[in-house]
Amino acid sequence: MCGIVGYVGNRQALPIILQGLKSLEYRGYDSAGVVIVPEESGEELNIIRSQGKIAHLENVLEDYSLPGTVGIGHTRWATHGPPSDANAHPHCDCQKKIALAHNGIIENYLELQEWLIEKGHSFTSETDTEVLPHLVEEFYQGDLGQALQEAIKRLRGAYAIVAVCRDNPDILVAARKDSPLIIGIGEGENFFASDIPAVIEHTRQIIIMEDGETAQINREGAIIYKDGQPIAKKITKVDWTTETAKKGGYPHFMLKEIHEQPDALRHALKGRIMAEENGLTLIDHDFAGINAADIEKIAIVACGTSYHAGLVGKYVIEKMLRLPVDVDIASEYRYRDPIIDEKTLVIVISQSGETADTLAALRESKKRGAPTLAICNVLGSSISREADQVVYTLAGPEIAVASTKAYTTQLMLIYLLTLHLGRVFGKISPEELEVLLEHIYRLPDQLQNLLAEKEEDIKKLAALIIDWGNAFFIGRGIDYAVSLEGSLKLKEISYIHAEAYASGELKHGTLALIEEGIPVLAICTQRALLEKSLSNIKEVKARNAFVIAMVFEGSDSIIKEADRVFTIPDTLDILAPVLTIAPLQLLSYYAAVMLGCNVDQPRNLAKSVTVE
Ligand code: AGP
């Protein structure tokens, strides 16, 4: 995710743009830049960019005078090309006549770049975005909007683009597909922005652009086009507070990020599973650098939620590839003299890419000659730079301390890695691959429907557990790995003590803690283990626990013993964690809200633990 702000009006553009970018920092903050149209005609566009947060850009701008009432700003969340001055937006054409900012991913940028270079264009960045101003330049014949409409016909991927041209200094043009873009309608001034917070201090009259639409704004107003034809659009009056607007209308970043998961999963899959006429294709160039032939075992190392994603990975990889997988908490791994060598693929998982223990474990692994692969969310982070290879979850910034969309997108990358290795090792047939791809590709929509339909039910369940100082999460197989993550969520944001237990292990001691009414979340999706899970439910029910069972739709009739049955959409057993974790995230969220906890910044915790 990145943040874009465009302004056309009668006030100085720069301060308005910078204020707007700051309100969009939750969308990305590794580099930023502005372009201001000079007041004197014929002068060059003023483009200032810098790596780092917007505050750093402000410091850089102190050395410049940039008068002007038209401009565009961008705050970046890198997806292609690490954070740097050269990779920051806005990007411009060869003549520095056209400048634009982009949010999204241009999947076919390499082929476009080749075509443009053949036509004489030169590139200065490592980004996918930079093909856009050169493409617009290629089609520009005096009408910027027309040129942008021609350019986007050649794009594959997601984009919100806002562009300006020195020759047409009083207009901004934009295009939107799969990345958000709104128009703010003011008095003698108009705005483009990635999200409402950027304009809410200036106007509450908003037009939401939709996929396939392009637009043009000047001081007088806005024209929106669909397939090149002007269309009428509704103006929405926004009544959010500025604070609420920063969270997309949600009361907390955590809830916003839980609901962002379907889109985050789509971004994680974009360019990696292609839907074509003849079905779905796995595009696994992200994993191409792994020397699979040399791998004899896999070690997964991480902390917290990322560690729990690694545990799911163990079940999936061992089941699909019959390859031994060790999973370690990084702070343990780095001091236990791990038995790894050049035949061990070490996978480090980290949302922030800065967790000290995980970084140390990565360095320890490299010292022992093991090939390393990082699964990260933050481009340019220490772990992403030091691992031999890195694949990105592309979940966008995760602001809440409690990790949600990072976890589910980490799972997605683990599935894709497994499919890749399965194909290389010949362990997954084309027919099996087709079935797996279909089920994986369906997950974002299934999760979206689950969140939309079941949130109220989960809120009711939360009310039933908040009076207990303790709760248990139990599961067998991959459900046990999910129960660990579910219990961590409840502990870290509601401060209710929760313990995750392998269902079959309860009777070896912990059953002594089961007393009347204590909440037990029983995750029972693994079909082969359902009967065993049922007997574990009976075991705790015999001690009068309050059991909330989570099962696939259709198997709820089996779990008659539970006090509440919560169903999730049907999918393959190994893919269940992507769906079972979401209700547990919401359960923890609503329990924390009901208990008056600081949901986004729980006590004692930091978003990234960069110390031992
Ligand atoms: C998750 O909700 C926690 N905030 C925490 O366990 C986190 O997952 C852990 O610190 C690892 O962080 P990383 O993924 O950035 O390395």
Side-chain angles (χ1 to χ4, degrees):
M1 288 202 291
C2 300
I4 303 173
V5 181
Y7 175 77
V8 187
N10 299 305
R11 295 187 285 163
Q12 286 305 301
L14 185 58
I16 292 171
I17 289 170
L18 289 173
Q19 170 271 325
L21 290 180
K22 280 187 215 164
S23 71
L24 296 180
E25 264 198 313
Y26 72 87
R27 301 181 60 82
Y29 41 75
D30 60 45
S31 50
V34 295
V35 55
I36 302 293
V37 177
E39 293 190 320
E40 303 307 317
S41 68
E43 280 184 32
E44 284 222 331
L45 293 174
N46 292 312
I47 300 176
I48 309 295
R49 303 175 295 168
S50 82
Q51 182 176 347
K53 294 201 171 204
I54 292 157
H56 183 256
L57 175 66
E58 286 182 309
N59 292 339
V60 171
L61 286 165
E62 281 170 9
D63 298 337
Y64 296 85
S65 162
L66 298 180
T69 60
V70 181
I72 304 169
H74 183 275
T75 183
R76 187 172 183 238
W77 181 263
T79 55
H80 290 72
S84 67
D85 293 2
N87 289 338
H89 304 203
H91 288 283
C92 62
D93 66 325
C94 303
Q95 305 166 59
K96 217 178 165 191
K97 183 163 71 170
I98 295 165
L100 62 79
H102 163 236
N103 173 28
I105 295 176
I106 306 300
E107 292 169 21
N108 61 331
Y109 80 98
L110 288 174
E111 62 192 74
L112 290 170
Q113 194 177 65
E114 259 175 62
W115 180 71
L116 289 161
I117 289 170
E118 280 166 20
K119 285 187 167 288
H121 294 264
S122 54
F123 288 80
T124 59
S125 81
E126 304 159 85
T127 67
D128 56 330
T129 297
E130 199 185 354
V131 298
L132 296 174
H134 294 285
L135 207 51
V136 174
E137 177 188 17
E138 196 55 34
F139 298 111
Y140 180 73
Q141 294 171 346
D143 181 335
L144 184 62
Q146 186 60 41
L148 181 60
Q149 288 189 18
E150 276 309 307
I152 60 176
K153 289 175 186 169
R154 288 149 179 83
L155 301 183
R156 212 174 50 238
Y159 53 82
I161 300 166
V162 179
V164 68
C165 177
R166 192 181 58 208
D167 300 351
N168 314 73
D170 296 318
I171 65 162
L172 294 181
V173 299
R176 184 244 147 112
K177 176 180 170 291
D178 290 341
S179 286
L181 198 61
I182 62 163
I183 300 172
I185 303 296
E187 298 291 325
E189 60 184 21
N190 293 296
F191 307 76
F192 281 121
S194 298
D195 202 355
I196 290 168
V199 303
I200 199 163
E201 288 182 22
H202 309 292
T203 177
R204 291 177 177 273
Q205 306 296 323
I206 304 294
I207 294 173
I208 310 285
M209 285 185 69
E210 291 168 66
D211 283 356
E213 293 177 354
T214 57
Q216 181 169 305
I217 61 171
N218 59 18
R219 290 175 184 79
E220 289 68 47
I223 307 172
I224 296 96
Y225 301 87
K226 178 84 173 174
D227 303 328
Q229 297 305 315
I231 56 172
K233 290 283 283 186
K234 180 165 72 78
I235 294 181
T236 304
K237 182 165 178 2
V238 174
D239 55 7
W240 289 341
T241 64
T242 305
E243 196 45 38
T244 306
K246 282 183 184 169
K247 296 162 192 162
Y250 290 99
H252 298 100
F253 277 112
M254 182 180 176
L255 188 60
K256 175 172 175 289
E257 288 155 9
I258 289 171
H259 284 280
E260 277 177 350
Q261 289 181 112
D263 276 346
L265 293 179
R266 293 183 186 108
H267 277 142
L269 290 178
K270 201 172 273 293
R272 292 168 168 154
I273 295 185
M274 295 293 280
E276 291 160 331
E277 283 84 52
N278 55 351
L280 297 171
T281 308
L282 175 63
I283 312 290
D284 49 2
H285 52 62
D286 278 348
F287 305 107
I290 297 171
N291 194 353
D294 291 349
I295 299 173
E296 288 177 359
K297 79 171 183 177
I298 288 178
I300 300 177
V301 190
C303 300
T305 288
S306 298
Y307 165 70
H308 296 151
L311 287 173
V312 171
K314 174 182 175 67
Y315 286 102
V316 173
I317 295 169
E318 288 192 343
K319 181 170 180 61
M320 304 294 294
L321 308 184
R322 308 312 297 154
L323 195 63
V325 179
D326 291 336
V327 188
D328 271 282
I329 290 170
S331 54
E332 289 295 305
Y333 174 89
R334 61 186 292 200
Y335 297 114
R336 72 171 180 79
D337 194 8
I339 304 169
I340 61 165
D341 59 21
E342 67 286 352
K343 301 270 188 202
T344 309
L345 173 63
V346 175
I347 302 173
V348 289
I349 305 176
S350 177
Q351 185 286 129
S352 62
E354 299 299 344
T355 299
D357 286 321
T358 309
L359 179 57
L362 169 63
R363 289 170 177 166
E364 184 63 29
S365 305
K366 292 182 73 174
K367 220 184 323 179
R368 294 167 185 254
T372 57
L373 169 71
I375 297 179
C376 279
N377 192 36
V378 181
L379 255 77
S381 57
S382 304
I383 289 172
S384 70
R385 278 183 287 107
E386 294 194 24
D388 299 322
Q389 283 208 97
V390 57
V391 286
Y392 291 104
T393 48
L394 304 176
E398 188 175 67
I399 308 298
V401 165
S403 190
T404 51
K405 62 179 182 174
Y407 174 79
T408 44
T409 50
Q410 286 165 354
L411 296 183
M412 210 49 107
L413 268 294
I414 288 167
Y415 295 135
L416 293 173
L417 169 66
T418 306
L419 296 187
H420 165 74
L421 293 176
R423 191 158 65 174
V424 170
F425 293 147
K427 292 283 187 187
I428 297 178
S429 69
E431 295 71 31
E432 285 169 323
L433 181 63
E434 191 178 336
V435 170
L436 285 158
L437 287 174
E438 274 165 19
H439 281 84
I440 290 172
Y441 201 69
R442 206 179 301 153
L443 286 171
D445 289 346
Q446 288 183 305
L447 181 55
Q448 188 149 341
N449 296 335
L450 175 63
L451 291 169
E453 292 160 11
K454 302 283 181 92
E455 185 160 11
E456 283 311 308
D457 295 344
I458 294 162
K459 210 186 278 188
K460 291 183 189 120
L461 287 179
L464 299 177
I465 68 169
I466 54 171
D467 294 334
W468 284 88
N470 275 300
F472 282 86
F473 290 73
I474 63 172
R476 284 177 176 262
I478 213 166
D479 287 338
Y480 171 48
V482 175
S483 64
L484 285 161
E485 175 55 15
S487 72
L488 174 63
K489 285 282 131 343
L490 188 64
K491 281 182 283 191
E492 67 174 326
I493 62 167
S494 75
Y495 314 146
I496 294 173
H497 181 257
E499 191 160 358
Y501 239 81
S503 307
E505 182 65 7
L506 268 176
K507 54 187 169 297
H508 298 285
T510 303
L511 197 58
L513 289 178
I514 300 296
E515 56 185 332
E516 182 161 356
I518 195 163
V520 175
L521 281 297
I523 306 168
C524 317
T525 65
Q526 303 306 291
R527 291 169 176 83
L529 299 169
L530 210 46
E531 286 309 312
K532 297 288 181 196
S533 301
L534 184 56
S535 58
N536 295 130
I537 288 177
K538 287 178 178 171
E539 205 173 47
V540 292
K541 278 305 294 173
R543 279 83 182 172
N544 301 315
F546 178 77
V547 178
I548 300 167
M550 295 185 68
V551 296
F552 282 133
E553 286 161 1
S555 51
D556 43 343
S557 57
I558 299 172
I559 310 287
K560 292 186 175 55
E561 301 296 325
D563 298 283
R564 295 285 189 284
V565 177
F566 189 86
T567 58
I568 63 164
D570 188 48
T571 186
L572 300 176
D573 282 13
I574 58 165
L575 304 181
V578 176
L579 301 175
T580 45
I581 194 57
L584 300 180
Q585 294 166 344
L586 285 173
L587 183 75
S588 306
Y589 170 78
Y590 282 111
V593 168
M594 290 170 192
L595 291 169
C597 299
N598 181 343
V599 173
D600 284 334
Q601 278 101 23
R603 66 188 182 202
N604 312 336
L605 300 179
K607 182 58 187 167
S608 179
V609 183
T610 55
V611 294
E612 267 209 62

